[in-house]
Amino acid sequence: MEQMSVAMPELLKKTIGIAVLVLSVGGTSCSAFMHSWDNDQSGTAIELSK
Amino acid sequence: MTTRTSPGGARRVGGKTSKKPVFSASRALLLYLLPLPVLFASLYGVLYGNVRVAFGAAVGFALAMVGAQLVRHGLTLEVESRRRKIVRRLSTVPYKLLGHGVVGLAMAIVALLVVKHSIPTALIVGMASSLGSFLVYGLDPSRSLPDAPAIGVTSEEVIEILNEADGKIAGIESAADQIRNLELKQRLHGIVGGIREITDIVEDDPRDLRRARKFLKVYLDGARRVTEGYAATHPSNQSGELEENFRAVLGTMETVIAEQKERLLENNLTELDVQIEVLQTQLEKEGV
């Protein structure tokens, strides 16, 4: 029981950390990928319209 | 968990190997996996001639990998330092802290150049990334752990010698497994047990390294070479003379190990005796 009460904050910290890490690093990375893809698509669209 | 500092200064944790859970080095995997889309973004940038995206994503990805590598190295050092009873006086370079910072910088660059966020938003993204990395992987353990200058060895040196000895013990063990003769095999396993007891004594009290250094460095090396050599020739060479010689060597090994153990334990008793004497004198002087 005592061990659990010591482990809980640590577990909570890690869980929040993973969430923040996934949202910030993963989110930015995916966003970067989508942006590079979007730019490419819009570029192609412009090319086609010409 | 109690923490004791030996008179020499090398710190021992609770008399046992620390059981505090730590993230193993492989867990830094998240830091390697999450930025992967940035690599593809960079490839897209190169393919379609978008210099800003290609450059921003390439720099961001490279920095993210550097950050992940730094955190991983910090984790490796931490795991290694907790493996033994003696705590390694850790590296002066705060690898994990640097890693968190570099990961944040990488994501800020990606957010600014590739995602085209504003500078304040990119800074927030960077800080959030560093914070996430810090929360998951933590900071480098304290660097103020004491050293063991009074006994003439540092805790690093003790750990280095013990690690080396572990490697030699493993060598003797694997060579023993190759030997078919059951009697010799059993004697070798007994020898390995004796050597482990000696390394345990040294690990418990690093001051004993002064007396066991030659044994751990020179003698153990010779024992491993002889055992490995015998194990390598044993299947092909069944000559009785070689076996007799090896038996004699094993006898010497057993004697030396027993003597070494006795010497170390005697030394502890002598020290205890001296400590009791000092305490007695002190009590008599101070009239307690």
Side-chain angles (χ1 to χ4, degrees), chain B:
Chain B
M1 184 169 62
T2 55
T3 302
R4 291 179 286 144
T5 305
S6 78
R11 185 170 139 167
R12 280 177 282 150
V13 184
K16 287 188 229 159
T17 307
S18 170
K19 296 282 186 237
K20 189 183 171 190
V22 284
F23 268 66
S24 72
S26 64
R27 300 276 177 103
L29 214 62
L30 264 184
L31 290 180
Y32 289 97
L33 291 179
L34 290 175
L36 272 181
V38 182
L39 179 66
F40 294 109
S42 172
L43 290 177
Y44 265 115
V46 172
L47 276 174
Y48 296 102
N50 191 333
V51 178
R52 181 180 49 79
V53 169
F55 176 77
V59 171
F61 183 73
L63 280 175
M65 290 302 107
V66 169
Q69 197 62 35
L70 286 168
V71 173
R72 186 188 173 91
H73 189 66
L75 283 170
T76 310
L77 283 182
E78 191 180 347
V79 169
E80 198 189 317
S81 76
R82 290 192 196 286
R83 207 166 59 84
R84 290 211 175 270
K85 292 173 195 169
I86 309 159
V87 177
R88 190 183 279 270
R89 189 173 57 90
L90 293 153
S91 164
T92 46
V93 182
Y95 286 103
K96 281 207 236 173
L97 187 67
L98 275 176
H100 304 326
V102 174
V103 166
L105 179 68
M107 288 303 118
I109 288 173
V110 171
L112 189 70
L113 294 181
V114 185
V115 190
K116 289 195 270 184
H117 279 317
S118 62
I119 292 176
T121 313
L123 282 176
I124 291 169
V125 167
M127 283 194 282
S129 304
S130 292
L131 178 73
S133 179
F134 155 70
L135 287 174
V136 178
Y137 301 109
L139 281 178
D140 302 84
S142 164
R143 281 178 289 124
S144 58
L145 293 171
D147 210 341
I151 56 167
V153 285
T154 61
S155 39
E156 272 91 347
E157 208 178 336
V158 178
I159 291 169
E160 224 55 68
I161 290 174
L162 288 174
N163 283 346
E164 232 175 78
D166 278 348
K168 289 169 191 170
I169 291 171
I172 295 174
E173 257 180 339
S174 71
D177 288 337
Q178 289 169 34
I179 295 172
R180 287 179 203 156
N181 187 317
L182 201 65
E183 178 225 331
L184 296 180
K185 196 184 259 199
Q186 278 173 348
R187 281 180 74 181
L188 273 168
H189 282 299
I191 285 170
V192 165
I195 299 169
R196 281 202 201 286
E197 278 177 46
I198 290 171
T199 54
D200 281 349
I201 293 171
V202 173
E203 198 169 340
D204 278 338
D205 189 352
R207 284 172 298 169
D208 285 324
L209 186 66
R210 281 176 300 182
R211 282 165 194 87
R213 190 194 290 265
K214 196 177 173 187
F215 174 85
L216 294 173
K217 283 210 118 182
V218 183
Y219 187 79
L220 208 51
D221 207 29
R224 187 191 57 179
R225 265 187 282 123
V226 169
T227 316
E228 284 177 345
Y230 179 78
T233 56
H234 183 69
S236 56
N237 193 343
Q238 294 285 346
S239 87
E241 196 188 340
L242 184 67
E243 204 161 294
E244 275 316 303
N245 284 345
F246 188 61
R247 238 185 218 107
V249 169
L250 288 186
T252 316
M253 279 188 205
E254 284 160 350
T255 316
V256 170
I257 288 166
E259 278 173 5
Q260 183 69 55
K261 263 198 303 192
E262 207 177 318
R263 212 173 138 199
L264 294 176
L265 294 173
E266 247 175 39
N267 170 56
N268 288 348
L269 285 179
T270 315
E271 273 173 11
L272 183 67
D273 210 30
V274 170
Q275 279 172 13
I276 290 170
E277 221 169 278
V278 168
L279 182 68
Q280 207 170 3
T281 319
Q282 204 176 0
L283 288 173
E284 278 169 11
K285 260 191 181 174
E286 290 171 11
V288 181

Side-chain angles (χ1 to χ4, degrees), chain A residues 10 13-37 39-41 44, chain B residues 23 30-31 34-35 37-38 40-41 44 48 50 52-53 103 107 110-111 114-116 125 128-129 131-133 135-137:
Chain A
E10 189 68 15
K13 198 177 108 179
K14 296 265 187 252
T15 311
I16 295 172
I18 289 173
V20 173
L21 200 64
V22 169
L23 283 175
S24 56
V25 180
T28 309
S29 301
C30 288
S31 182
F33 176 70
M34 296 302 283
H35 266 265
S36 67
W37 193 77
N39 286 343
D40 159 49
Q41 293 302 303
T44 312
Chain B
F23 268 66
L30 264 184
L31 290 180
L34 290 175
V38 182
F40 294 109
Y44 265 115
Y48 296 102
N50 191 333
R52 181 180 49 79
V53 169
V103 166
M107 288 303 118
V110 171
V114 185
V115 190
K116 289 195 270 184
V125 167
S129 304
L131 178 73
S133 179
L135 287 174
V136 178
Y137 301 109

